[in-house]
């Protein structure tokens, strides 16, 4: 009989080093299995040791935290209101959502290259390839493992999502930008010098 997994990661007082970790990039096409096989769509970011130095030494596994997306005005979710139970903030063109992500080679699918696959905890009405995404990785949930079947993998991912929601639903882990916490998430919505030049 499987041992029940804890539903909250980290102390109530807040993050512990080395977290939070920052990652950013434009959403690229992945293997397409998240939506097709699992019904759990993912947004992939490039794994680049130069742009994200910490990712070279981090262990493979499932992580959780906050994601921001700068959706274009044409995206159907840009003007939609949030569904109940989903924390979302909008600032400077960005929207903030809780997320879970896997970093590494997926054992179940026998991947040979490392990937960073983000499952944003919000239902979107359309894809958002090419959109700017920023991540604040807040903590580690579990190591990657193999599974006897797809159903067992889906069950574990659903627990991961629950762990992320409950862990982030605490004052010291929620962002000030969402109106529910004390953590500074301004990097997720901050304009960069490059973006400012593009606006001018």
């Amino acid at each position: 009989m499987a041992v029940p997994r804890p539903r909250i990661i980290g102390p109530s007082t807040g993050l512990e080093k080395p977290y939070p970790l920052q990652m950013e990039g434009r959403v690229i096409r992945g293997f397409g299995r998240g939506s097709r096989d699992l019904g759990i769509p993912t947004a992939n970011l490039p794994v680049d040791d130069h742009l994200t130095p910490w990712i070279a030494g981090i262990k493979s596994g499932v992580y959780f935290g906050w994601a921001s997306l700068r959706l274009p005005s044409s995206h159907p979710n840009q003007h939609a209101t949030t569904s109940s139970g989903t924390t979302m903030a909008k600032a400077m063109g960005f929207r903030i959502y809780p997320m879970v992500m896997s970093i590494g080679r997926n054992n179940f699918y026998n991947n040979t290259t490392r990937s960073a696959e983000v499952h944003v905890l919000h239902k979107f009405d359309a894809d958002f390839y090419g959109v700017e995404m920023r991540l604040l990785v807040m903590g580690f949930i579990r190591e990657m493992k193999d599974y006897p079947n797809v159903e067992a993998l889906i069950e574990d991912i659903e627990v991961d999502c629950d762990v992320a929601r409950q862990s982030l639903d605490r004052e010291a882990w929620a962002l000030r930008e969402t109106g529910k916490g004390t953590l500074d998430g301004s990097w997720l919505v901050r304009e960069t010098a490059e973006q400012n030049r593009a606006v001018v």
Side-chain angles (χ1 to χ4, degrees):
M1 186 170 135
V3 177
R5 291 173 50 191
R7 290 302 201 269
I8 293 183
I9 302 292
S12 60
T13 51
L15 280 66
E16 298 177 312
K17 290 185 177 181
Y19 305 103
L21 299 170
Q22 296 179 354
M23 185 175 186
E24 63 182 318
R26 294 195 176 271
V27 176
I28 60 174
R29 290 187 180 273
F31 300 104
R33 295 181 299 232
S35 294
R36 184 184 67 237
D37 296 352
L38 308 177
I40 303 171
T42 58
N44 288 38
L45 287 181
V47 176
D48 188 323
D49 297 352
H50 298 290
L51 295 176
T52 314
W54 58 263
I55 208 166
I58 202 166
K59 64 180 176 179
S60 295
V62 179
Y63 295 79
F64 72 99
W66 296 99
S68 66
L69 290 167
R70 189 196 290 268
L71 297 172
S73 59
S74 58
H75 194 280
N77 289 98
Q78 175 64 3
H79 304 289
T81 56
T82 181
S83 58
S84 61
T86 301
T87 300
M88 181 170 66
K90 182 179 178 184
M92 306 299 284
F94 287 94
R95 287 176 180 258
I96 299 175
Y97 309 86
M99 64 84 180
V100 293
M101 68 182 299
S102 64
I103 300 175
R105 299 174 179 87
N106 191 307
N107 297 335
F108 183 77
Y109 288 105
N110 298 312
N111 289 358
T112 57
T113 58
R114 296 186 83 209
S115 62
E117 302 179 34
V118 181
H119 175 52
V120 180
L121 301 181
H122 182 76
K123 181 175 176 56
F124 291 90
D125 298 319
D127 293 328
F128 42 84
Y129 296 117
V131 165
E132 183 182 356
M133 173 182 273
R134 295 179 187 172
L135 305 176
L136 272 184
V137 182
M138 309 283 279
F140 179 79
I141 296 179
R142 63 174 174 86
E143 295 181 353
M144 284 187 179
K145 58 182 180 180
D146 202 354
Y147 294 90
N149 50 56
V150 171
E151 290 75 21
L153 171 59
I154 293 173
E155 183 178 349
D156 236 10
I157 294 174
E158 289 175 345
V159 174
D160 297 334
C161 295
D162 189 44
V163 170
R165 289 188 184 97
Q166 292 199 42
S167 298
L168 295 171
D169 192 27
R170 295 175 290 172
E171 186 177 7
W173 292 75
L175 305 177
R176 288 200 301 256
E177 288 72 16
T178 68
K180 294 187 175 181
T182 58
L183 195 67
D184 179 10
S186 59
W187 176 78
L188 288 171
V189 298
R190 183 180 303 148
E191 293 284 353
T192 65
E194 179 182 351
Q195 289 160 344
N196 289 332
R197 285 196 297 272
V199 170
V200 173

